[in-house]
Amino acid sequence: HNSIKNLIYIEDLIKSKVNHDKLPKIIAVSKTFPIANILPLIDHGHLHYGENKVQEALDKWTDIKNKNHNIQLHLIGRLQTNKVKFALRIFDYIHSLDSKKLDNKLADDRKTKKKPKIFIQVNIGNEEQKSGINKEKLGDFYKFCKDLNLDVIGTMCIPPND
């Protein structure tokens, strides 16, 4: 299958450039693709997948994740506060935390659900048209997240267009 060939090619390319055993996790972005297109990768043993819409992820991944608990699903799109309770049902990682309102909603709703790993979204170019925390406010925002006991594991940065 082409997706398996592409994955193996990318893995080999990374291995040729890295001089240690720990390789980065490759997230296969599966948004808009039907699950039938993704099954060969799942059968191959790939575990990390990215989706940008909560409802699409629920429809596509609920049965698969119930059968294979090792699959890790990443929310790579913007999360609206009204979708948090649904996102917590399916996603293991959220890559787009960018507001205190969203922090509070995640902290409140996850009390009865799993605790996803969180990336703070940083707008490193401080461009108004892009979402993300201003890089100068990252330290305070990180502390706010930790005070809410959110499992922040890193940042997801949005660079300027140029």
Side-chain angles (χ1 to χ4, degrees), residues 120-137:
I120 296 173
Q121 183 172 324
V122 182
N123 182 345
I124 59 174
N126 296 328
E127 296 172 289
E128 290 183 26
Q129 74 275 20
K130 293 182 180 173
S131 54
I133 298 298
N134 180 306
K135 63 185 177 186
E136 285 80 25
K137 297 179 181 176

Side-chain angles (χ1 to χ4, degrees), residues 3-120:
S3 59
I4 295 171
K5 288 178 189 173
N6 291 339
L7 177 64
I8 292 169
Y9 172 77
I10 292 167
E11 289 171 338
D12 288 345
L13 186 63
I14 292 169
K15 287 175 188 173
S16 74
K17 307 266 185 215
V18 176
N19 19 333
H20 55 79
D21 293 333
K22 189 168 181 172
L23 297 174
K25 289 179 178 54
I26 297 171
I27 301 169
V29 177
S30 52
K31 64 182 188 172
T32 73
F33 289 97
I35 199 69
N37 290 32
I38 303 159
L39 287 174
L41 276 176
I42 294 169
D43 292 341
H44 177 71
H46 190 73
L47 298 176
H48 290 266
Y49 298 88
E51 294 284 343
N52 69 333
K53 294 182 180 172
V54 174
Q55 190 58 50
E56 181 181 343
L58 281 167
D59 294 344
K60 188 188 309 184
W61 288 99
T62 299
D63 289 341
I64 299 290
K65 283 188 57 108
N66 285 336
K67 293 175 189 166
N68 185 342
H69 298 289
N70 293 323
I71 288 186
Q72 301 290 295
L73 201 56
H74 298 250
L75 177 62
I76 57 173
R78 185 167 179 84
L79 177 58
Q80 300 169 325
T81 54
N82 65 333
K83 305 276 175 132
V84 166
K85 67 181 174 184
F86 303 108
L88 291 174
R89 292 180 189 166
I90 195 82
F91 289 102
D92 304 287
Y93 294 82
I94 297 174
H95 289 243
S96 52
L97 188 62
D98 67 352
S99 75
K100 288 184 177 182
K101 181 180 177 185
L102 185 55
D103 285 6
N104 284 316
K105 185 70 173 160
L106 277 166
D108 288 345
D109 282 5
R110 72 134 216 279
K111 288 176 185 168
T112 59
K113 297 172 185 75
K114 65 183 177 182
K115 186 176 179 181
K117 296 182 182 329
I118 305 276
F119 292 88
I120 296 173

Side-chain angles (χ1 to χ4, degrees), residues 121-155:
Q121 183 172 324
V122 182
N123 182 345
I124 59 174
N126 296 328
E127 296 172 289
E128 290 183 26
Q129 74 275 20
K130 293 182 180 173
S131 54
I133 298 298
N134 180 306
K135 63 185 177 186
E136 285 80 25
K137 297 179 181 176
L138 179 58
D140 290 338
F141 188 74
Y142 173 76
K143 184 179 179 335
F144 183 81
C145 294
K146 293 309 265 183
D147 289 346
L148 290 174
N149 200 27
L150 296 175
D151 189 9
V152 176
I153 62 166
T155 58

